Amino acid sequence: MSLSKSNDDSNREVLDSNSDTNEEDKNELCPGFKDVDAFVKHGFGVVLSATKASAGLPQPGDEFDFYRSFPGFQEFCESQGDQILQCMSQIMQHHGCRSHVKDRNKLTAVEERFDLVVDSNDVILERAGILLDEADGVNRNQKPVMPAGFQPPKIVVSSWNRKGSGSSSQSETFRLLHAKNIARPQLKFKEKIDNSNTPFVPKIFIKPNAVKPLPSCKKHVCQPEDLDVPAALADLIHQQRTQEHVEDMFAHPYQYELDHLTVPDSLLSKPEPQMYKPIAETKLSFIDSLEDLVELNEKLCKLSEFAVDLEHHSYRSFLGLTCLMQISTRDEDFIIDTLELRSEMYILNEAFTDPTIVKVFHGADSDIEWLQRDFGLYVVNLFDTHQGSRALHLARNSLDHLLRHFCNVDSDKRYQLADWRIRPLPNEMVQYARTDTHYLLYIYDCVRAQLLDSNHGQPGLLQSVWNKSKDISLTKYMKPLFTEDSYLEVLRKQKRSFNTQQLTAFRLLFAWRDKLARQEDESTGYTLPIHMMIKISEELPKEPQGIIACCNPVPPLVRQQVNELHLLVQQAREMPLLKVRRNWRQHWHVGTPEVTLFGPHDTSRASESELPYFSPNGRLKFLQLINLFETLVDYFNQCFVLKEPDVHTEQNSLSVAQMKARRIIESFENPFRMYLPSTDVHVNKNAKFDPSSKIFEISKRWKLQSIEQQQKELEAKQKAKEEAKQQAKKASGNWLFFSTHYLFNTAKKRETPASEVGEVTPKPAKKLKAAEKTQKTETPSQTSFKPFDYSQSDLKVFAGTKSKDNSQFDPNRQGQGFKKKVPQGQKKHNSAGNRSMSYMAGKSERGFRHNWPKR
Ligand code: AMP
Ligand code: MN
Ligand code: ZN
């Protein structure tokens, strides 16, 4: 690994400077170093270069597979890997942790090693935390003064090794990954966050630079009496229009403008790169008032380009929070406190959607989504330098690489994962944030020039980058939606086999976690990290204490709700114990309904009250029958020596006999299918389903559901009346019935709050508040549609079956536990541990939620 070289260099630097002031008594504490600071500085340098080096390794997937096809690379990795494991094991031993990471006989799975590392990290950080707290107690008087209402960000470390910035030692220090005692910014938001399990509706209600106006509700109300057509046709047209209306609701508000955006010739011809101003000579403005924001918007509207970047926080929030926006023009840098101005940010749409102004981002994929989600901001005319870099086939496409390549600036991305909620922002973080946009316009010039040069002056390549950027700006934010099968997607990534009890436990814990995380506005990783969920599911502890023992450190919400969790585990333990096969079927049946029939969770699910024709005893027998059938299939499978297929080589590597066997098995129909819950929802179900189609499906269902309900009410109330009418007007067929019916429904609909119909208009302020109110006051006995409480209705909506009480997991029945807010004091609990949890768990879970582009 190339890090050894840079290590030596920085090593020498430290040692050299030490030799001047080499005092023997100090040497005793950290041999070879002047003092602890020097040692720490060195340590951080080493960790940093190791992190950099590891980021430089080929990425998992094609890139890695390609490299691995070289025996030399493989050998090198093996030997380096052994060395690293050796080293880790020594550190673990030193701290008295289980340290068999390097023992290949005892451990095979990466997950197990990962668990060991997590455990050891916890032990080490716990100890560090205790010591820091101790030290902190001694210095209690020296805490910095913070604005009222703010808990001081506890320790902030920073002056170490920020090269060249010359920011001579401020003794402030801050925690990079997770600062504790930060007041939740959400509490100050004017508009409450909508974590409900419903599709995201664009937040935009004013559309600057519109070519096509925002859809208005009125425009789409269809008046059947205007239509001189038969009733059935009118009905069809009505449905069609309603569908269009719903589609407009969820559409990208600037779809039309972006579809019609063309790049002017001036942006396709070679620019003369305009040098950036030195940071020291550039004015920096911190924007945290509406006044300043308006002024900034006016300034931006006069420009032909500006650069934008965002900083984000995702650990202590369910959907994530955009904490900061950086904007750089050719002359000035701006940092906007988007926590403070969250509800006002939309005014920037005037500049952001102006097609004559280029907005330069680096790696805008997430930014585009965050802008929509938090502010209702959209970008028309985007240039993404990450796409530019890719088209140029530069060695790396990250921003720090571009900075080095074009600006000779050595940035480090150390603060990328800092807790950006910290206020007031430490100067180091301001400086970091600023460098993310300060050079970007110059890089934009250089990239465009090179794209033309590398294509012999032809604009094709540059045009393709503009197109890719446009595609990115067309991305729609999708709220994470919980479905009955969400847990399977997570399990699929784990190489574990679960029995029915363990699987049930995992499913229940997963639902509990999602529900609670939405309610408390915490990330799922904070609520209960996956590796802990797996551990609880595997061990199925008999006592609540056992659940606590599975978690180290114990997440605050787990501690608070350990009894509820215990009930879920008990419920899982009551399942008939059966082995569940995985993988091969999952791979086979991806995209077909059989996934659920044969998939690992069906047996557990079928035990629910959804088998109405059986007594409890009969239900058990039924389950056993299903399992007998499955065991037979399994046996059949084994007879043909079908191994678990490798995802990549599955198709090619099977022999003819095996393929035949597979086809036979695939043709097996589960004879109990008719008794099992509907499986339509699993058709099209894979990681890359088209989210918008899902949304339409969902909203269509809501519509149907509400229409159905209205129809029933109508029928009940006016049965006699209508019968009379129908008979009297028999001659005019059902046309009159339709129109009365329609008019009645429209009238009803106008009275129905948005939250009930699931139909939301793009006027968020008022309507959302109304929806919130319904949510807050909701009681389990309410019969109207409540999107948030999917334990009762949503799941069924997703599954396409009618609303039914879910007897297995109903958080509403769990006393006040869910309603109660966690007292701040309790949340602070276990601080030292939380840090490691935030890092390890947060990281691993982010991995499955997003694919981070290289930045
Ligand atoms: P950047 O575009 O590099 O300024 O990153 C913007 C935000 O994305 C940061 O504030 C982080 O919250 C998040 N982020 C960037 N890279 C990663 C990563 N590798 N893992 C998790 N979060 C990331
Ligand atoms: Mn960014
Ligand atoms: Zn950034």
Side-chain angles (χ1 to χ4, degrees):
M1 274 181 197
S2 61
L3 64 109
S4 54
K5 187 169 177 281
S6 55
N7 273 356
D8 287 349
D9 291 349
S10 59
N11 218 341
R12 189 144 318 123
E13 204 179 315
V14 176
L15 289 173
D16 285 351
S17 65
N18 287 342
S19 55
D20 302 338
T21 53
N22 211 345
E23 290 170 42
E24 272 175 314
D25 54 332
K26 281 185 183 171
N27 264 346
E28 280 168 23
L29 194 58
C30 298
F33 294 92
K34 190 177 89 190
D35 51 21
V36 178
D37 273 352
F39 177 71
V40 169
K41 189 176 164 185
H42 169 71
F44 274 122
V46 172
V47 170
L48 185 67
S49 44
T51 312
K52 273 189 181 163
S54 83
L57 290 173
Q59 301 294 309
D62 290 349
E63 193 186 350
F64 183 74
D65 291 341
F66 171 70
Y67 277 90
R68 209 176 45 165
S69 64
F70 298 97
F73 178 80
Q74 222 171 8
E75 272 164 34
F76 182 74
C77 283
E78 294 263 305
S79 69
Q80 293 292 324
D82 281 345
Q83 260 181 38
I84 292 171
L85 286 176
Q86 175 77 31
C87 182
M88 285 164 70
S89 157
Q90 270 174 11
I91 295 173
M92 290 172 176
Q93 261 167 19
H94 176 77
H95 287 276
C97 310
R98 290 186 302 151
S99 60
H100 50 293
V101 266
K102 63 179 200 307
D103 191 338
R104 285 184 198 266
N105 298 325
K106 282 195 192 147
L107 285 164
T108 41
V110 176
E111 285 87 358
E112 289 173 74
R113 289 207 172 109
F114 185 78
D115 285 350
L116 276 184
V117 173
V118 171
D119 288 349
S120 310
N121 260 346
D122 290 341
V123 171
I124 296 167
L125 285 177
E126 188 87 47
R127 190 171 299 165
I130 291 168
L131 292 174
L132 283 173
D133 282 348
E134 230 167 71
D136 192 38
V138 178
N139 293 332
R140 199 152 281 165
N141 300 333
Q142 294 170 10
K143 273 184 183 165
V145 185
M146 292 288 169
F150 272 101
Q151 304 267 14
K154 218 172 164 201
I155 304 171
V156 195
V157 191
S158 104
S159 41
W160 37 271
N161 83 8
R162 178 159 266 273
K163 277 180 240 154
S165 74
S167 67
S168 54
S169 64
Q170 288 159 331
S171 52
E172 262 188 308
T173 46
F174 56 89
R175 236 166 244 166
L176 284 177
L177 301 166
H178 178 51
K180 60 177 173 175
N181 296 353
I182 293 181
R184 290 170 71 75
Q186 293 98 311
L187 299 175
K188 292 202 304 176
F189 291 170
K190 289 176 197 147
E191 193 194 296
K192 289 291 162 254
I193 288 172
D194 176 17
N195 290 334
S196 64
N197 196 38
T198 55
F200 175 77
V201 182
K203 276 186 173 186
I204 190 166
F205 50 96
I206 301 169
K207 186 177 169 185
N209 302 302
V211 180
K212 187 184 166 190
L214 273 184
S216 79
C217 307
K218 277 179 208 148
K219 216 182 74 186
H220 292 267
V221 170
C222 137
Q223 303 293 330
E225 54 268 45
D226 297 347
L227 303 167
D228 192 16
V229 289
L233 192 55
D235 197 9
L236 202 74
I237 293 171
H238 169 66
Q239 271 180 20
Q240 186 64 33
R241 291 194 182 172
T242 315
Q243 174 82 11
E244 274 168 21
H245 176 64
V246 171
E247 279 170 26
D248 271 352
M249 238 29 153
F250 292 100
H252 191 296
Y254 284 88
Q255 176 91 41
Y256 184 87
E257 286 76 6
L258 284 163
D259 283 346
H260 293 80
L261 183 73
T262 46
V263 186
D265 288 343
S266 60
L267 292 177
L268 287 172
S269 53
K270 193 172 167 180
E272 189 55 52
Q274 191 178 330
M275 194 59 188
Y276 52 86
K277 267 169 68 171
I279 289 247
E281 291 164 29
T282 308
K283 184 178 168 201
L284 171 71
S285 311
F286 195 80
I287 311 258
D288 57 4
S289 73
L290 179 58
E291 224 181 339
D292 292 346
L293 189 67
V294 170
E295 196 181 311
L296 170 62
N297 180 56
E298 276 160 16
K299 208 175 254 178
L300 295 178
C301 283
K302 293 187 193 117
L303 300 173
S304 50
E305 70 268 305
F306 59 87
V308 188
D309 186 39
L310 302 174
E311 301 306 330
H312 183 260
H313 176 86
S314 57
Y315 186 54
R316 301 300 307 271
S317 139
F318 184 75
L319 298 171
L321 306 168
T322 307
C323 300
L324 219 62
M325 180 187 282
Q326 304 98 283
I327 292 186
S328 290
T329 68
R330 298 275 181 189
D331 307 304
E332 281 183 82
D333 295 331
F334 301 89
I335 291 193
I336 309 173
D337 184 348
T338 55
L339 293 175
E340 193 64 40
L341 292 171
R342 184 178 163 98
S343 304
E344 284 83 31
M345 289 298 288
Y346 73 91
I347 65 169
L348 292 182
N349 258 337
E350 199 181 344
F352 275 52
T353 61
D354 186 331
T356 63
I357 306 172
V358 178
K359 273 69 64 176
V360 182
F361 284 65
H362 182 86
D365 313 57
S366 304
D367 305 51
I368 291 293
E369 295 189 31
W370 297 336
L371 288 172
Q372 296 174 37
R373 183 196 62 196
D374 292 348
F375 319 126
L377 277 174
Y378 294 84
V379 179
V380 177
N381 206 359
L382 168 72
F383 188 93
D384 190 331
T385 51
H386 177 246
Q387 295 302 330
S389 164
R390 286 180 52 171
L392 281 175
H393 297 292
L394 297 183
R396 302 236 245 114
N397 304 315
S398 61
L399 179 61
D400 40 335
H401 185 254
L402 293 189
L403 283 170
R404 215 170 307 127
H405 185 80
F406 291 112
C407 312
N408 204 17
V409 166
D410 222 354
S411 82
D412 71 64
K413 281 259 151 195
R414 215 159 7 95
Y415 293 90
Q416 194 172 46
L417 296 179
D419 192 328
W420 288 100
R421 298 171 307 161
I422 298 175
R423 295 293 182 278
L425 262 186
N427 187 42
E428 286 79 1
M429 286 169 74
V430 172
Q431 293 309 322
Y432 165 86
R434 181 183 192 185
T435 37
D436 266 359
T437 52
H438 180 80
Y439 305 94
L440 214 48
L441 289 179
Y442 174 70
I443 292 177
Y444 158 68
D445 294 342
C446 298
V447 166
R448 276 184 300 151
Q450 285 202 6
L451 281 167
L452 288 167
D453 285 346
S454 67
N455 205 37
H456 316 291
Q458 295 303 305
L461 197 56
L462 178 55
Q463 178 70 58
S464 78
V465 174
W466 283 111
N467 293 345
K468 287 221 170 82
S469 303
K470 184 160 89 178
D471 287 345
I472 291 172
S473 56
L474 274 166
T475 313
K476 283 196 292 176
Y477 171 67
M478 292 291 161
K479 212 202 261 190
L481 291 182
F482 176 92
T483 70
E484 274 179 282
D485 284 352
S486 310
Y487 79 104
L488 284 176
E489 262 147 60
V490 176
L491 266 190
R492 224 161 261 158
K493 292 179 185 146
Q494 306 285 332
K495 293 204 177 82
R496 319 236 168 179
S497 46
F498 275 178
N499 62 36
T500 39
Q501 295 185 348
Q502 294 168 324
L503 206 56
T504 309
F506 190 83
R507 177 167 59 85
L508 295 175
L509 291 174
F510 194 86
W512 171 87
R513 173 174 97 141
D514 183 85
K515 170 103 186 168
L516 191 61
R518 286 178 197 267
Q519 209 157 327
E520 297 292 325
D521 197 15
E522 298 286 3
S523 64
T524 50
Y526 172 83
T527 310
L528 175 58
I530 285 187
H531 68 272
M532 295 184 191
M533 213 153 51
I534 292 206
K535 192 148 190 210
I536 299 172
S537 309
E538 273 176 349
E539 303 201 352
L540 297 170
K542 289 204 174 89
E543 306 293 330
Q545 201 46 42
I547 295 179
I548 300 284
C550 286
C551 308
N552 182 18
V554 186
L557 292 173
V558 168
R559 192 180 290 281
Q560 194 198 335
Q561 300 225 350
V562 69
N563 291 327
E564 281 82 352
L565 286 172
H566 180 237
L567 287 178
L568 298 179
V569 172
Q570 267 184 335
Q571 197 182 321
R573 293 183 75 96
E574 282 160 17
M575 291 298 301
L577 189 57
L578 291 156
K579 208 184 111 219
V580 178
R581 308 149 324 283
R582 52 165 289 136
N583 279 353
W584 62 272
R585 280 219 182 110
Q586 280 176 23
H587 290 317
W588 274 8
H589 295 285
V590 162
T592 74
E594 278 76 11
V595 167
T596 42
L597 276 180
F598 292 117
H601 76 308
D602 58 308
T603 48
S604 52
R605 218 175 43 156
S607 79
E608 295 176 32
S609 53
E610 288 160 315
L611 308 168
Y613 305 113
F614 295 110
S615 67
N617 204 9
R619 208 170 276 160
L620 194 70
K621 288 207 178 109
F622 175 72
L623 272 174
Q624 284 163 352
L625 263 176
I626 295 182
N627 284 294
L628 181 69
F629 173 77
E630 301 220 347
T631 314
L632 276 172
V633 175
D634 220 357
Y635 178 66
F636 189 78
N637 171 44
Q638 275 160 22
C639 290
F640 281 86
V641 210
L642 283 182
K643 285 187 204 142
E644 287 193 357
D646 181 322
V647 202
H648 303 293
T649 56
E650 198 183 352
Q651 285 303 321
N652 314 333
S653 63
L654 291 177
S655 70
V656 179
Q658 283 173 327
M659 287 299 279
K660 214 176 215 171
R662 168 175 293 193
R663 248 173 271 129
I664 295 171
I665 296 167
E666 275 177 324
S667 73
F668 273 24
E669 255 253 318
N670 188 326
F672 306 103
R673 163 181 272 184
M674 58 191 287
Y675 300 109
L676 291 169
S678 153
T679 54
D680 332 353
V681 75
H682 308 291
V683 188
N684 298 334
K685 179 136 197 39
N686 58 50
K688 284 194 175 163
F689 70 95
D690 174 17
S692 46
S693 70
K694 182 102 187 165
I695 278 185
F696 297 140
E697 189 189 311
I698 292 164
S699 40
K700 225 166 71 191
R701 282 195 204 290
W702 290 350
K703 267 227 139 67
L704 289 176
Q705 204 183 39
S706 83
I707 288 171
E708 222 172 83
Q709 202 181 316
Q710 287 163 11
Q711 274 177 355
K712 268 183 203 151
E713 280 168 31
L714 178 79
E715 278 159 22
K717 277 181 191 167
Q718 304 201 332
K719 202 180 171 189
K721 231 180 179 179
E722 267 176 35
E723 269 172 3
K725 265 189 193 171
Q726 298 260 330
Q727 276 177 352
K729 308 267 175 181
K730 227 175 192 174
S732 46
N734 55 5
W735 164 241
L736 189 79
F737 168 68
F738 172 74
S739 36
T740 347
H741 189 84
Y742 175 78
L743 285 175
F744 185 86
N745 275 351
T746 352
K748 273 301 291 215
K749 215 174 273 173
R750 281 194 203 108
E751 294 162 12
T752 321
S755 61
E756 280 178 38
V757 198
E759 175 189 66
V760 196
T761 61
K763 295 241 185 251
K766 273 193 181 169
K767 294 244 171 161
L768 277 182
K769 268 180 198 137
E772 269 158 35
K773 262 188 211 149
T774 10
Q775 258 174 39
K776 268 181 204 145
T777 53
E778 82 187 17
T779 60
S781 61
Q782 242 172 302
T783 45
S784 59
F785 180 69
K786 295 158 289 173
F788 186 74
D789 188 5
Y790 46 87
S791 68
Q792 293 203 357
S793 48
D794 286 17
L795 279 186
K796 306 301 166 192
V797 172
F798 286 124
T801 52
K802 274 189 188 153
S803 201
K804 209 192 284 172
D805 218 16
N806 187 339
S807 59
Q808 204 150 18
F809 173 61
D810 182 1
N812 281 323
R813 293 209 198 113
Q814 299 179 7
Q816 281 108 335
F818 275 76
K819 299 263 181 268
K820 236 185 333 191
K821 277 276 162 204
V822 197
Q824 273 307 110
Q826 240 170 302
K827 289 202 176 178
K828 278 179 228 155
H829 189 87
N830 217 331
S831 56
N834 282 351
R835 255 172 285 134
S836 69
M837 209 169 68
S838 76
Y839 180 61
M840 303 308 290
K843 270 224 101 122
S844 58
E845 295 202 10
R846 257 182 229 117
F848 93 80
R849 283 171 69 161
H850 301 286
N851 260 330
W852 292 104
K854 283 184 205 167
R855 288 157 212 264

